[in-house]
Amino acid sequence: MVKVTQKTRYAIRALLRLKTFGEGGTVLKEISKEEDIPVKFLEQIFASLAKADILESKRGAQGGYRLKKSLKEVSLYEVMKSLREDVKFAHCLDIAKPECPLKSKCKAEKFWRNIQEKIMKILMETKLEEIDESLS
Amino acid sequence: MVKVTQKTRYAIRALLRLKTFGEGGTVLKEISKEEDIPVKFLEQIFASLAKADILESKRGAQGGYRLKKSLKEVSLYEVMKSLREDVKFAHCLDIAKPECPLKSKCKAEKFWRNIQEKIMKILMETKLEEIDESLS
DNA sequence: TTGATTCCTATATGTTTGGTATGAATTATT
DNA sequence: AATAATTCATACCAAACATATAGGAATCAA
């Protein structure tokens, strides 16, 4: 299953915005306000992104977030995966065994896997940097 | 949003199975049994596929379904669309106007559209015929 | 110690999905 | 004409998932 949720969209926009703050970074509240994303929701999102080493956090007063990687290096796939969004089509590939009575199921699952690989390739090749370029 | 649901998977498998019945076609109940898909759910699926001219139906006694198009001609995109599964990423492209205060949103939405087009291309190029070939 | 912040986890709300139920409409067969 | 077999149409329901909201713990600079 490949899905692009609101969460993913928020994440992308937040990262893009964070980029404009450069090395200094900023505080979550700021981005929440500027991008009009619910604070508490964004907290969860940033927690995930931080865990995935896409951004860096510092707690406490004078704390905040800043990008840890250049957006050139961060793929869409990486973001989606860190948010634990499923990036798979095939459902039960383990059923696809020779003995499986539903032959068309076996075939179909393998078929899904092929598609999945193609789409994952796109998601992996797409770096966030492209976003900034996509308006020019 | 691109998603592959159970419904889509059922549809694919059902079409594949239907193909094995050739010109004569068969009755929904039969496919339901062989593919282990809930009858009533499959009814809805087939109704959609029929509306999309992918298969042909005949009501009443001695009725049933048969493929209307060769699976060579039917794309994954077509199936998904006929089931009214969303095949779009971009959410609110109409907000992406010059006046939009959320510039990163505008950028992002355009970015999503690019991705969407790539993925749609894959889905459109993928014909169901490939499924049968994918195990060989 | 205080205030600002991130982090953690539980809960509430809304939407989608997968499936069920009921029955109407259609058609071949008897 | 009656019957049985089918597709067609629609409404409903429960579970899963998405989108938040809430409360407070942990951390840290001043």
Side-chain angles (χ1 to χ4, degrees), chain A residues 70-113:
Chain A
S70 157
L71 293 188
K72 267 196 280 286
E73 305 163 39
V74 180
S75 71
L76 185 46
Y77 178 83
E78 213 174 329
V79 172
M80 293 172 74
K81 199 177 169 194
S82 73
L83 298 176
R84 279 167 222 153
E85 314 269 329
D86 282 340
V87 188
K88 60 182 173 188
F89 275 148
H91 214 215
C92 44
L93 288 170
D94 35 48
I95 290 188
K97 292 171 186 165
E99 326 89 63
C100 171
L102 298 172
K103 282 188 190 152
S104 57
K105 181 164 190 173
C106 302
K107 289 184 195 172
E109 296 298 346
K110 173 138 192 217
F111 163 80
W112 286 122
R113 183 152 57 180

mmCIF file of all heavy atoms in Angstrom, chain A residues 70-113:
data_model
loop_
_atom_site.group_PDB
_atom_site.id
_atom_site.type_symbol
_atom_site.label_atom_id
_atom_site.label_comp_id
_atom_site.label_asym_id
_atom_site.label_seq_id
_atom_site.Cartn_x
_atom_site.Cartn_y
_atom_site.Cartn_z
ATOM 1 N N SER A 70 21.206 17.493 4.412
ATOM 2 C CA SER A 70 20.759 18.369 3.333
ATOM 3 C C SER A 70 19.551 17.728 2.670
ATOM 4 O O SER A 70 19.461 16.502 2.566
ATOM 5 C CB SER A 70 21.879 18.540 2.311
ATOM 6 O OG SER A 70 21.341 18.901 1.066
ATOM 7 N N LEU A 71 18.643 18.560 2.228
ATOM 8 C CA LEU A 71 17.449 17.998 1.580
ATOM 9 C C LEU A 71 17.796 17.322 0.257
ATOM 10 O O LEU A 71 16.982 16.599 -0.304
ATOM 11 C CB LEU A 71 16.396 19.092 1.372
ATOM 12 C CG LEU A 71 15.781 19.652 2.662
ATOM 13 C CD1 LEU A 71 14.623 20.577 2.347
ATOM 14 C CD2 LEU A 71 15.313 18.525 3.586
ATOM 15 N N LYS A 72 18.999 17.575 -0.197
ATOM 16 C CA LYS A 72 19.476 16.864 -1.391
ATOM 17 C C LYS A 72 19.588 15.367 -1.121
ATOM 18 O O LYS A 72 19.456 14.555 -2.016
ATOM 19 C CB LYS A 72 20.870 17.378 -1.783
ATOM 20 C CG LYS A 72 20.871 18.486 -2.801
ATOM 21 C CD LYS A 72 22.234 18.686 -3.435
ATOM 22 C CE LYS A 72 23.196 19.485 -2.560
ATOM 23 N NZ LYS A 72 22.919 20.924 -2.499
ATOM 24 N N GLU A 73 19.859 15.048 0.136
ATOM 25 C CA GLU A 73 20.119 13.645 0.484
ATOM 26 C C GLU A 73 18.882 12.915 0.992
ATOM 27 O O GLU A 73 18.904 11.703 1.175
ATOM 28 C CB GLU A 73 21.182 13.574 1.584
ATOM 29 C CG GLU A 73 22.469 14.290 1.254
ATOM 30 C CD GLU A 73 23.271 14.535 2.536
ATOM 31 O OE1 GLU A 73 23.290 13.643 3.392
ATOM 32 O OE2 GLU A 73 23.843 15.632 2.675
ATOM 33 N N VAL A 74 17.836 13.693 1.266
ATOM 34 C CA VAL A 74 16.659 13.064 1.869
ATOM 35 C C VAL A 74 15.635 12.728 0.793
ATOM 36 O O VAL A 74 15.166 13.603 0.069
ATOM 37 C CB VAL A 74 16.021 13.992 2.915
ATOM 38 C CG1 VAL A 74 14.800 13.332 3.526
ATOM 39 C CG2 VAL A 74 17.038 14.348 3.991
ATOM 40 N N SER A 75 15.284 11.460 0.723
ATOM 41 C CA SER A 75 14.306 11.036 -0.267
ATOM 42 C C SER A 75 12.902 11.033 0.321
ATOM 43 O O SER A 75 12.713 10.925 1.532
ATOM 44 C CB SER A 75 14.637 9.647 -0.786
ATOM 45 O OG SER A 75 14.383 8.694 0.230
ATOM 46 N N LEU A 76 11.956 11.117 -0.569
ATOM 47 C CA LEU A 76 10.558 11.036 -0.168
ATOM 48 C C LEU A 76 10.296 9.714 0.556
ATOM 49 O O LEU A 76 9.587 9.660 1.556
ATOM 50 C CB LEU A 76 9.696 11.147 -1.425
ATOM 51 C CG LEU A 76 8.200 11.212 -1.261
ATOM 52 C CD1 LEU A 76 7.806 12.182 -0.176
ATOM 53 C CD2 LEU A 76 7.564 11.592 -2.585
ATOM 54 N N TYR A 77 10.909 8.676 0.040
ATOM 55 C CA TYR A 77 10.762 7.364 0.646
ATOM 56 C C TYR A 77 11.201 7.378 2.107
ATOM 57 O O TYR A 77 10.532 6.837 2.984
ATOM 58 C CB TYR A 77 11.592 6.340 -0.139
ATOM 59 C CG TYR A 77 11.542 4.949 0.443
ATOM 60 C CD1 TYR A 77 10.488 4.105 0.157
ATOM 61 C CD2 TYR A 77 12.547 4.494 1.289
ATOM 62 C CE1 TYR A 77 10.428 2.824 0.692
ATOM 63 C CE2 TYR A 77 12.501 3.231 1.822
ATOM 64 C CZ TYR A 77 11.440 2.401 1.525
ATOM 65 O OH TYR A 77 11.381 1.149 2.067
ATOM 66 N N GLU A 78 12.331 8.010 2.335
ATOM 67 C CA GLU A 78 12.882 8.083 3.685
ATOM 68 C C GLU A 78 11.897 8.769 4.638
ATOM 69 O O GLU A 78 11.696 8.308 5.764
ATOM 70 C CB GLU A 78 14.181 8.888 3.615
ATOM 71 C CG GLU A 78 15.245 8.472 4.583
ATOM 72 C CD GLU A 78 16.533 9.244 4.306
ATOM 73 O OE1 GLU A 78 16.767 9.590 3.120
ATOM 74 O OE2 GLU A 78 17.277 9.508 5.268
ATOM 75 N N VAL A 79 11.329 9.849 4.180
ATOM 76 C CA VAL A 79 10.373 10.573 5.008
ATOM 77 C C VAL A 79 9.160 9.703 5.315
ATOM 78 O O VAL A 79 8.764 9.557 6.470
ATOM 79 C CB VAL A 79 9.917 11.875 4.311
ATOM 80 C CG1 VAL A 79 8.786 12.530 5.081
ATOM 81 C CG2 VAL A 79 11.088 12.820 4.159
ATOM 82 N N MET A 80 8.600 9.112 4.274
ATOM 83 C CA MET A 80 7.415 8.289 4.474
ATOM 84 C C MET A 80 7.702 7.119 5.406
ATOM 85 O O MET A 80 6.892 6.779 6.267
ATOM 86 C CB MET A 80 6.898 7.785 3.127
ATOM 87 C CG MET A 80 6.360 8.899 2.257
ATOM 88 S SD MET A 80 5.952 8.353 0.586
ATOM 89 C CE MET A 80 4.449 7.425 0.879
ATOM 90 N N LYS A 81 8.851 6.544 5.221
ATOM 91 C CA LYS A 81 9.196 5.403 6.056
ATOM 92 C C LYS A 81 9.363 5.816 7.517
ATOM 93 O O LYS A 81 8.924 5.126 8.433
ATOM 94 C CB LYS A 81 10.487 4.767 5.548
ATOM 95 C CG LYS A 81 10.672 3.347 6.039
ATOM 96 C CD LYS A 81 11.925 2.742 5.460
ATOM 97 C CE LYS A 81 12.262 1.424 6.135
ATOM 98 N NZ LYS A 81 13.629 0.987 5.829
ATOM 99 N N SER A 82 9.980 6.957 7.718
ATOM 100 C CA SER A 82 10.195 7.397 9.101
ATOM 101 C C SER A 82 8.871 7.704 9.797
ATOM 102 O O SER A 82 8.750 7.568 11.005
ATOM 103 C CB SER A 82 11.119 8.613 9.131
ATOM 104 O OG SER A 82 10.429 9.745 8.661
ATOM 105 N N LEU A 83 7.880 8.089 9.011
ATOM 106 C CA LEU A 83 6.555 8.339 9.592
ATOM 107 C C LEU A 83 5.759 7.048 9.724
ATOM 108 O O LEU A 83 4.598 7.060 10.098
ATOM 109 C CB LEU A 83 5.776 9.322 8.722
ATOM 110 C CG LEU A 83 6.395 10.719 8.571
ATOM 111 C CD1 LEU A 83 5.569 11.543 7.606
ATOM 112 C CD2 LEU A 83 6.496 11.410 9.919
ATOM 113 N N ARG A 84 6.423 5.971 9.359
ATOM 114 C CA ARG A 84 5.804 4.649 9.404
ATOM 115 C C ARG A 84 4.573 4.531 8.516
ATOM 116 O O ARG A 84 3.619 3.819 8.842
ATOM 117 C CB ARG A 84 5.438 4.280 10.848
ATOM 118 C CG ARG A 84 6.649 3.762 11.615
ATOM 119 C CD ARG A 84 6.373 3.700 13.095
ATOM 120 N NE ARG A 84 7.531 4.177 13.849
ATOM 121 C CZ ARG A 84 7.486 4.729 15.055
ATOM 122 N NH1 ARG A 84 6.337 4.881 15.651
ATOM 123 N NH2 ARG A 84 8.564 5.131 15.658
ATOM 124 N N GLU A 85 4.595 5.282 7.448
ATOM 125 C CA GLU A 85 3.542 5.091 6.452
ATOM 126 C C GLU A 85 3.949 3.853 5.663
ATOM 127 O O GLU A 85 5.111 3.697 5.299
ATOM 128 C CB GLU A 85 3.487 6.284 5.481
ATOM 129 C CG GLU A 85 3.549 7.631 6.126
ATOM 130 C CD GLU A 85 2.161 8.163 6.439
ATOM 131 O OE1 GLU A 85 1.240 7.827 5.701
ATOM 132 O OE2 GLU A 85 2.012 8.892 7.422
ATOM 133 N N ASP A 86 2.990 3.018 5.395
ATOM 134 C CA ASP A 86 3.306 1.833 4.619
ATOM 135 C C ASP A 86 3.755 2.232 3.224
ATOM 136 O O ASP A 86 3.226 3.140 2.630
ATOM 137 C CB ASP A 86 2.088 0.930 4.484
ATOM 138 C CG ASP A 86 1.867 0.140 5.752
ATOM 139 O OD1 ASP A 86 2.830 0.005 6.526
ATOM 140 O OD2 ASP A 86 0.749 -0.330 5.961
ATOM 141 N N VAL A 87 4.741 1.543 2.755
ATOM 142 C CA VAL A 87 5.175 1.748 1.388
ATOM 143 C C VAL A 87 5.239 0.385 0.729
ATOM 144 O O VAL A 87 6.254 -0.030 0.214
ATOM 145 C CB VAL A 87 6.536 2.446 1.326
ATOM 146 C CG1 VAL A 87 6.877 2.820 -0.112
ATOM 147 C CG2 VAL A 87 6.527 3.695 2.177
ATOM 148 N N LYS A 88 4.153 -0.307 0.827
ATOM 149 C CA LYS A 88 4.127 -1.623 0.188
ATOM 150 C C LYS A 88 2.744 -1.945 -0.351
ATOM 151 O O LYS A 88 1.744 -1.570 0.234
ATOM 152 C CB LYS A 88 4.577 -2.693 1.159
ATOM 153 C CG LYS A 88 3.725 -2.789 2.401
ATOM 154 C CD LYS A 88 4.249 -3.838 3.357
ATOM 155 C CE LYS A 88 3.480 -3.793 4.667
ATOM 156 N NZ LYS A 88 4.043 -4.637 5.699
ATOM 157 N N PHE A 89 2.742 -2.627 -1.465
ATOM 158 C CA PHE A 89 1.509 -3.028 -2.103
ATOM 159 C C PHE A 89 1.116 -4.437 -1.711
ATOM 160 O O PHE A 89 0.011 -4.702 -1.306
ATOM 161 C CB PHE A 89 1.680 -3.018 -3.618
ATOM 162 C CG PHE A 89 1.452 -1.686 -4.217
ATOM 163 C CD1 PHE A 89 2.141 -1.297 -5.345
ATOM 164 C CD2 PHE A 89 0.534 -0.804 -3.677
ATOM 165 C CE1 PHE A 89 1.926 -0.067 -5.920
ATOM 166 C CE2 PHE A 89 0.312 0.427 -4.241
ATOM 167 C CZ PHE A 89 1.006 0.794 -5.364
ATOM 168 N N ALA A 90 2.078 -5.313 -1.893
ATOM 169 C CA ALA A 90 1.797 -6.724 -1.694
ATOM 170 C C ALA A 90 1.377 -6.962 -0.257
ATOM 171 O O ALA A 90 1.978 -6.439 0.672
ATOM 172 C CB ALA A 90 3.018 -7.544 -2.041
ATOM 173 N N HIS A 91 0.368 -7.754 -0.103
ATOM 174 C CA HIS A 91 -0.256 -7.905 1.195
ATOM 175 C C HIS A 91 0.295 -9.105 1.930
ATOM 176 O O HIS A 91 0.799 -9.015 3.024
ATOM 177 C CB HIS A 91 -1.758 -8.050 1.001
ATOM 178 C CG HIS A 91 -2.546 -7.433 2.115
ATOM 179 N ND1 HIS A 91 -3.726 -7.952 2.568
ATOM 180 C CD2 HIS A 91 -2.324 -6.330 2.833
ATOM 181 C CE1 HIS A 91 -4.183 -7.196 3.542
ATOM 182 N NE2 HIS A 91 -3.369 -6.201 3.725
ATOM 183 N N CYS A 92 0.172 -10.231 1.277
ATOM 184 C CA CYS A 92 0.545 -11.449 1.977
ATOM 185 C C CYS A 92 1.398 -12.280 1.034
ATOM 186 O O CYS A 92 0.967 -13.313 0.551
ATOM 187 C CB CYS A 92 -0.688 -12.227 2.409
ATOM 188 S SG CYS A 92 -1.936 -12.323 1.115
ATOM 189 N N LEU A 93 2.590 -11.803 0.796
ATOM 190 C CA LEU A 93 3.443 -12.482 -0.159
ATOM 191 C C LEU A 93 3.833 -13.873 0.311
ATOM 192 O O LEU A 93 4.162 -14.742 -0.482
ATOM 193 C CB LEU A 93 4.706 -11.647 -0.407
ATOM 194 C CG LEU A 93 4.438 -10.390 -1.219
ATOM 195 C CD1 LEU A 93 5.640 -9.483 -1.244
ATOM 196 C CD2 LEU A 93 4.043 -10.778 -2.635
ATOM 197 N N ASP A 94 3.742 -14.070 1.587
ATOM 198 C CA ASP A 94 4.114 -15.376 2.109
ATOM 199 C C ASP A 94 3.098 -16.462 1.759
ATOM 200 O O ASP A 94 3.351 -17.641 1.923
ATOM 201 C CB ASP A 94 4.311 -15.309 3.621
ATOM 202 C CG ASP A 94 3.354 -14.346 4.261
ATOM 203 O OD1 ASP A 94 2.162 -14.415 3.944
ATOM 204 O OD2 ASP A 94 3.793 -13.516 5.046
ATOM 205 N N ILE A 95 1.926 -16.038 1.290
ATOM 206 C CA ILE A 95 0.940 -17.033 0.856
ATOM 207 C C ILE A 95 1.291 -17.527 -0.539
ATOM 208 O O ILE A 95 0.855 -18.581 -0.964
ATOM 209 C CB ILE A 95 -0.486 -16.446 0.885
ATOM 210 C CG1 ILE A 95 -0.911 -16.229 2.330
ATOM 211 C CG2 ILE A 95 -1.480 -17.368 0.211
ATOM 212 C CD1 ILE A 95 -2.347 -15.843 2.474
ATOM 213 N N ALA A 96 2.110 -16.720 -1.215
ATOM 214 C CA ALA A 96 2.418 -17.041 -2.609
ATOM 215 C C ALA A 96 3.374 -18.230 -2.707
ATOM 216 O O ALA A 96 4.490 -18.113 -3.169
ATOM 217 C CB ALA A 96 3.002 -15.831 -3.300
ATOM 218 N N LYS A 97 2.906 -19.353 -2.246
ATOM 219 C CA LYS A 97 3.721 -20.554 -2.307
ATOM 220 C C LYS A 97 3.191 -21.508 -3.373
ATOM 221 O O LYS A 97 2.042 -21.398 -3.777
ATOM 222 C CB LYS A 97 3.700 -21.249 -0.939
ATOM 223 C CG LYS A 97 4.427 -20.446 0.138
ATOM 224 C CD LYS A 97 4.186 -21.057 1.505
ATOM 225 C CE LYS A 97 4.778 -20.172 2.588
ATOM 226 N NZ LYS A 97 4.268 -20.521 3.928
ATOM 227 N N PRO A 98 4.001 -22.427 -3.776
ATOM 228 C CA PRO A 98 3.586 -23.370 -4.806
ATOM 229 C C PRO A 98 2.285 -24.087 -4.464
ATOM 230 O O PRO A 98 1.453 -24.327 -5.318
ATOM 231 C CB PRO A 98 4.746 -24.355 -4.873
ATOM 232 C CG PRO A 98 5.920 -23.601 -4.373
ATOM 233 C CD PRO A 98 5.388 -22.647 -3.354
ATOM 234 N N GLU A 99 2.124 -24.433 -3.192
ATOM 235 C CA GLU A 99 0.941 -25.197 -2.804
ATOM 236 C C GLU A 99 -0.326 -24.356 -2.756
ATOM 237 O O GLU A 99 -1.411 -24.875 -2.595
ATOM 238 C CB GLU A 99 1.120 -25.823 -1.417
ATOM 239 C CG GLU A 99 2.524 -26.266 -1.057
ATOM 240 C CD GLU A 99 3.290 -25.143 -0.419
ATOM 241 O OE1 GLU A 99 2.880 -24.698 0.657
ATOM 242 O OE2 GLU A 99 4.295 -24.707 -1.006
ATOM 243 N N CYS A 100 -0.170 -23.053 -2.800
ATOM 244 C CA CYS A 100 -1.322 -22.168 -2.630
ATOM 245 C C CYS A 100 -2.438 -22.521 -3.609
ATOM 246 O O CYS A 100 -2.230 -22.594 -4.811
ATOM 247 C CB CYS A 100 -0.909 -20.721 -2.828
ATOM 248 S SG CYS A 100 -2.297 -19.574 -2.901
ATOM 249 N N PRO A 101 -3.645 -22.763 -3.093
ATOM 250 C CA PRO A 101 -4.764 -23.167 -3.950
ATOM 251 C C PRO A 101 -5.242 -22.031 -4.860
ATOM 252 O O PRO A 101 -5.839 -22.275 -5.887
ATOM 253 C CB PRO A 101 -5.852 -23.549 -2.955
ATOM 254 C CG PRO A 101 -5.534 -22.759 -1.727
ATOM 255 C CD PRO A 101 -4.041 -22.629 -1.688
ATOM 256 N N LEU A 102 -4.975 -20.810 -4.441
ATOM 257 C CA LEU A 102 -5.428 -19.668 -5.235
ATOM 258 C C LEU A 102 -4.316 -19.202 -6.161
ATOM 259 O O LEU A 102 -3.607 -18.251 -5.876
ATOM 260 C CB LEU A 102 -5.855 -18.519 -4.319
ATOM 261 C CG LEU A 102 -7.021 -18.816 -3.393
ATOM 262 C CD1 LEU A 102 -7.215 -17.671 -2.415
ATOM 263 C CD2 LEU A 102 -8.277 -19.046 -4.194
ATOM 264 N N LYS A 103 -4.185 -19.887 -7.272
ATOM 265 C CA LYS A 103 -3.064 -19.582 -8.147
ATOM 266 C C LYS A 103 -3.072 -18.134 -8.610
ATOM 267 O O LYS A 103 -2.040 -17.491 -8.717
ATOM 268 C CB LYS A 103 -3.080 -20.505 -9.353
ATOM 269 C CG LYS A 103 -2.556 -21.893 -9.007
ATOM 270 C CD LYS A 103 -2.400 -22.749 -10.245
ATOM 271 C CE LYS A 103 -2.115 -24.199 -9.846
ATOM 272 N NZ LYS A 103 -2.591 -25.150 -10.853
ATOM 273 N N SER A 104 -4.268 -17.621 -8.883
ATOM 274 C CA SER A 104 -4.311 -16.252 -9.385
ATOM 275 C C SER A 104 -3.879 -15.274 -8.302
ATOM 276 O O SER A 104 -3.371 -14.201 -8.573
ATOM 277 C CB SER A 104 -5.704 -15.922 -9.894
ATOM 278 O OG SER A 104 -6.645 -16.119 -8.870
ATOM 279 N N LYS A 105 -4.064 -15.703 -7.057
ATOM 280 C CA LYS A 105 -3.600 -14.860 -5.965
ATOM 281 C C LYS A 105 -2.078 -14.797 -5.951
ATOM 282 O O LYS A 105 -1.483 -13.735 -5.842
ATOM 283 C CB LYS A 105 -4.116 -15.386 -4.638
ATOM 284 C CG LYS A 105 -3.689 -14.540 -3.456
ATOM 285 C CD LYS A 105 -4.514 -14.864 -2.239
ATOM 286 C CE LYS A 105 -4.270 -13.851 -1.127
ATOM 287 N NZ LYS A 105 -5.188 -14.078 -0.015
ATOM 288 N N CYS A 106 -1.481 -15.952 -6.080
ATOM 289 C CA CYS A 106 -0.022 -16.007 -6.113
ATOM 290 C C CYS A 106 0.509 -15.096 -7.211
ATOM 291 O O CYS A 106 1.391 -14.287 -7.001
ATOM 292 C CB CYS A 106 0.449 -17.429 -6.374
ATOM 293 S SG CYS A 106 -0.132 -18.603 -5.143
ATOM 294 N N LYS A 107 -0.073 -15.295 -8.391
ATOM 295 C CA LYS A 107 0.361 -14.476 -9.518
ATOM 296 C C LYS A 107 0.193 -13.000 -9.205
ATOM 297 O O LYS A 107 1.092 -12.192 -9.419
ATOM 298 C CB LYS A 107 -0.473 -14.797 -10.759
ATOM 299 C CG LYS A 107 -0.190 -16.152 -11.362
ATOM 300 C CD LYS A 107 -1.008 -16.309 -12.640
ATOM 301 C CE LYS A 107 -1.048 -17.761 -13.083
ATOM 302 N NZ LYS A 107 -1.998 -17.937 -14.198
ATOM 303 N N ALA A 108 -0.984 -12.665 -8.699
ATOM 304 C CA ALA A 108 -1.281 -11.267 -8.448
ATOM 305 C C ALA A 108 -0.318 -10.666 -7.438
ATOM 306 O O ALA A 108 0.172 -9.551 -7.620
ATOM 307 C CB ALA A 108 -2.722 -11.118 -7.968
ATOM 308 N N GLU A 109 -0.010 -11.413 -6.403
ATOM 309 C CA GLU A 109 0.858 -10.852 -5.384
ATOM 310 C C GLU A 109 2.244 -10.566 -5.944
ATOM 311 O O GLU A 109 2.872 -9.564 -5.620
ATOM 312 C CB GLU A 109 0.929 -11.771 -4.166
ATOM 313 C CG GLU A 109 -0.400 -11.948 -3.416
ATOM 314 C CD GLU A 109 -0.973 -10.657 -2.821
ATOM 315 O OE1 GLU A 109 -0.252 -9.661 -2.734
ATOM 316 O OE2 GLU A 109 -2.161 -10.644 -2.466
ATOM 317 N N LYS A 110 2.683 -11.457 -6.789
ATOM 318 C CA LYS A 110 3.986 -11.213 -7.408
ATOM 319 C C LYS A 110 3.927 -9.972 -8.305
ATOM 320 O O LYS A 110 4.852 -9.157 -8.334
ATOM 321 C CB LYS A 110 4.417 -12.424 -8.238
ATOM 322 C CG LYS A 110 5.680 -12.161 -9.034
ATOM 323 C CD LYS A 110 6.631 -13.318 -8.996
ATOM 324 C CE LYS A 110 7.991 -12.901 -9.540
ATOM 325 N NZ LYS A 110 8.628 -13.955 -10.316
ATOM 326 N N PHE A 111 2.824 -9.861 -8.990
ATOM 327 C CA PHE A 111 2.563 -8.704 -9.841
ATOM 328 C C PHE A 111 2.612 -7.412 -9.021
ATOM 329 O O PHE A 111 3.275 -6.446 -9.388
ATOM 330 C CB PHE A 111 1.194 -8.912 -10.480
ATOM 331 C CG PHE A 111 0.560 -7.697 -11.074
ATOM 332 C CD1 PHE A 111 0.931 -7.243 -12.324
ATOM 333 C CD2 PHE A 111 -0.450 -7.039 -10.389
ATOM 334 C CE1 PHE A 111 0.308 -6.140 -12.884
ATOM 335 C CE2 PHE A 111 -1.070 -5.940 -10.943
ATOM 336 C CZ PHE A 111 -0.684 -5.487 -12.193
ATOM 337 N N TRP A 112 1.949 -7.431 -7.872
ATOM 338 C CA TRP A 112 1.967 -6.256 -7.010
ATOM 339 C C TRP A 112 3.382 -5.898 -6.593
ATOM 340 O O TRP A 112 3.766 -4.745 -6.516
ATOM 341 C CB TRP A 112 1.102 -6.472 -5.767
ATOM 342 C CG TRP A 112 -0.354 -6.424 -6.047
ATOM 343 C CD1 TRP A 112 -1.262 -7.414 -5.805
ATOM 344 C CD2 TRP A 112 -1.091 -5.352 -6.625
ATOM 345 N NE1 TRP A 112 -2.502 -7.020 -6.208
ATOM 346 C CE2 TRP A 112 -2.444 -5.760 -6.713
ATOM 347 C CE3 TRP A 112 -0.753 -4.082 -7.080
ATOM 348 C CZ2 TRP A 112 -3.444 -4.950 -7.237
ATOM 349 C CZ3 TRP A 112 -1.745 -3.276 -7.602
ATOM 350 C CH2 TRP A 112 -3.068 -3.702 -7.682
ATOM 351 N N ARG A 113 4.138 -6.910 -6.319
ATOM 352 C CA ARG A 113 5.495 -6.648 -5.866
ATOM 353 C C ARG A 113 6.307 -5.935 -6.950
ATOM 354 O O ARG A 113 7.099 -5.050 -6.655
ATOM 355 C CB ARG A 113 6.193 -7.943 -5.450
ATOM 356 C CG ARG A 113 7.585 -7.677 -4.899
ATOM 357 C CD ARG A 113 8.020 -8.701 -3.911
ATOM 358 N NE ARG A 113 7.996 -10.037 -4.480
ATOM 359 C CZ ARG A 113 8.332 -11.122 -3.797
ATOM 360 N NH1 ARG A 113 8.692 -11.023 -2.538
ATOM 361 N NH2 ARG A 113 8.302 -12.293 -4.369
#
